[in-house]
């Protein structure tokens, strides 16, 4: 499994360093990549297929495509990611297929390839009207590590 480490820099900025072994894949928000090793292959993926990607983009404002980062070299490949907004980064371990985490729009940063990120409608009109995050939110499901950012 990829190894995630949050680090804090001067001036309040945070970053996420991910160490990958050969063959491991993570997904990240499309504008999150700062630096990668030459042994990391960069690709793109639409989580949830075309309709899932379009729904996520239309309803939550997230990117249509996620970056996929795959280690093709040795066991010491590294990737450095950062959120677009200043704030902190948190790591959550989703441990079963029934684990679901709801995220505010723009909070997703990165995750293991075994975590699916899509859009979901909040339950109840009143809840969505007064929650501050709108009618649709991001929903992360699966098993693995999820990194999200918040300001």
């Amino acid at each position: 499994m990829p190894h995630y480490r949050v680090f804090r820099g001067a001036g309040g900025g945070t970053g996420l360093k991910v160490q990958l072994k050969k063959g491991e894949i993570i997904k990240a928000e499309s504008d999150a990549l700062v630096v990668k090793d030459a042994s990391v292959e960069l690709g793109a993926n639409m989580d949830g297929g075309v309709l899932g990607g379009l729904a996520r983009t239309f309803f939550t404002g997230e990117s249509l495509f996620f970056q996929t980062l795959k280690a093709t070299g040795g066991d010491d490949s590294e990737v450095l990611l950062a959120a677009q907004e200043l704030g902190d980064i948190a790591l959550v371990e989703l441990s079963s297929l029934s684990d679901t985490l709801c995220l505010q729009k723009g909070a997703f940063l990165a995750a293991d390839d075994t975590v699916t990120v899509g859009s979901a409608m909040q339950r109840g009109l009143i809840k969505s009207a007064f929650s501050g995050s709108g009618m649709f939110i991001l929903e992360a499901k699966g098993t693995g590590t999820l990194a999200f950012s918040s300001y």
Side-chain angles (χ1 to χ4, degrees):
M1 286 187 60
H3 180 263
Y4 295 79
R5 186 173 64 87
V6 176
F7 65 91
R8 286 149 183 87
T14 57
L16 180 66
K17 182 186 255 186
V18 185
Q19 293 176 314
L20 301 165
K21 294 180 181 172
K22 186 174 183 175
E24 290 182 331
I25 302 171
I26 64 165
K27 65 181 82 172
E29 182 57 37
S30 65
D31 56 356
L33 181 65
V34 177
V35 175
K36 70 176 187 66
D37 285 345
S39 63
V40 176
E41 184 179 284
L42 180 62
N45 183 25
M46 253 191 289
D47 228 20
V50 175
L51 291 178
L54 288 171
R56 186 179 57 251
T57 301
F58 182 73
F59 294 127
T60 67
E62 293 289 320
S63 300
L64 181 62
F65 293 96
F66 288 124
Q67 291 177 336
T68 55
L69 301 151
K70 179 180 181 180
T72 58
D75 285 348
D76 57 355
S77 299
E78 289 185 344
V79 172
L80 178 63
L81 305 168
Q84 195 172 21
E85 302 285 334
L86 281 178
D88 207 358
I89 296 172
L91 300 174
V92 173
E93 196 67 35
L94 299 175
S95 59
S96 72
L97 293 174
S98 63
D99 278 355
T100 301
L101 188 67
C102 296
L103 303 168
Q104 185 173 349
K105 299 174 190 177
F108 173 75
L109 180 60
D112 289 346
D113 195 41
T114 54
V115 175
T116 303
V117 180
S119 60
M121 182 183 251
Q122 288 201 54
R123 292 184 175 97
L125 187 59
I126 300 219
K127 184 185 281 188
S128 64
F130 294 106
S131 70
S133 59
M135 197 162 208
F136 291 89
I137 54 174
L138 290 173
E139 189 175 72
K141 296 180 184 181
T143 58
T145 304
L146 170 73
F148 63 92
S149 61
S150 181
Y151 51 90

